[in-house]
Amino acid sequence: MAELLEDGDIYFLYRPRVEEEHVDSLQEVQRLLVVLHPWHGRHLRLLVVGRKRLPDIEVHDRFWAFVDAVVDRPQQLHDALQAHRYRTRTRADRRQPPARPAAEGAYAIARHDDHTHLAYELELPPRLGEAQHDLSIESEASYIVTVKNPQAPSPPGVGLSGSRKVRLPAALQATFHGRRFAPLDPPDFLDHAGTEIVLIGAAHDASAELSIDLDAEVERAERSTVFGDLRIGRRERPVAPLFTGEWA
């Protein structure tokens, strides 16, 4: 039986590529974003998944991700998910469309033997569609999650560099014991922007694998929605993927 370390609300969003006002496929997506809002903590964490989709459970994909932002107030995260305009040297103003919600539910981080899992179960959409399929978002899933030692080198072309690399508190850094990776234990690693993690597809039936009642977790999650929790207005961006599962 796994030991629950943290639980809370989970939101999946995707940001379209620059100037792509309507998304029809994964090719028009720039980033897959995951927001974790613990029920027993004041921080909201914004994670970026490097491959624009979650790891495939069947083939046990290993995907890199990192904590892009940690905020105390939903408004701060709302600003990070807004549309942006910027200038380039070769073109006029360009528009980065706002992030669009694709799914929401409840998550749990649990210690299982000598490793840790990130598991979730969705509340919305009621039925998965093309958007969730392309983003590899399951109705329920579990991933083994490990934290990369920021003091260890990364393979060429992978990972954060320079000022984006995290400087962890001494107590967290000491948990690596010189190793390149460590379990996500404690989950406090996620409270530091720049923390890099690896997600490994583990199981579809997370509740059975970890002996955690994710249905009960989802019932608690129903108190919050991506609109109320992240201060996202339904008129600000397309929200059809959250309810119909279709791209927008």
Side-chain angles (χ1 to χ4, degrees), residues 2 12 41 72 77 109 112 124 131 146 155 164 170 198 203 214 240:
F12 298 93
D72 296 329
L77 203 55
I109 296 173
H112 188 220
L124 292 174
T146 62
R164 301 190 71 189
V198 175
L214 286 176

Side-chain angles (χ1 to χ4, degrees), residues 89-218:
R89 293 183 179 180
T90 58
R91 300 189 181 186
D93 284 1
R94 307 195 71 191
R95 184 175 187 269
Q96 173 74 69
R100 294 158 191 194
E104 65 178 49
Y107 78 93
I109 296 173
R111 181 189 300 122
H112 188 220
D113 296 330
D114 62 349
H115 53 272
T116 46
H117 283 251
L118 170 63
Y120 69 83
E121 183 174 324
L122 297 185
E123 176 192 359
L124 292 174
R127 186 173 182 178
L128 301 185
E130 184 181 6
Q132 291 76 33
H133 174 77
D134 291 350
L135 294 167
S136 296
I137 299 173
E138 308 279 353
S139 57
E140 180 179 338
S142 171
Y143 307 88
I144 295 173
V145 55
T146 62
V147 184
K148 180 187 174 295
N149 185 342
Q151 296 181 0
S154 299
V158 177
L160 303 178
S161 60
S163 61
R164 301 190 71 189
K165 289 181 70 69
V166 68
R167 292 178 63 98
L168 294 172
L172 288 178
Q173 184 63 48
T175 64
F176 289 100
H177 301 290
R179 298 170 298 176
R180 293 186 61 200
F181 294 94
L184 183 59
D185 187 2
D188 297 5
F189 281 108
L190 300 178
D191 289 332
H192 301 276
T195 293
E196 298 173 73
I197 63 174
V198 175
L199 297 169
I200 306 170
H204 291 288
D205 193 345
S207 298
E209 181 192 32
L210 302 175
S211 299
I212 293 176
D213 188 353
L214 286 176
D215 288 334
E217 300 285 319
V218 169

Side-chain angles (χ1 to χ4, degrees), residues 20 23 46 125 133 168 243:
E20 294 285 356
V23 171
L46 175 64
H133 174 77
L168 294 172
F243 299 101

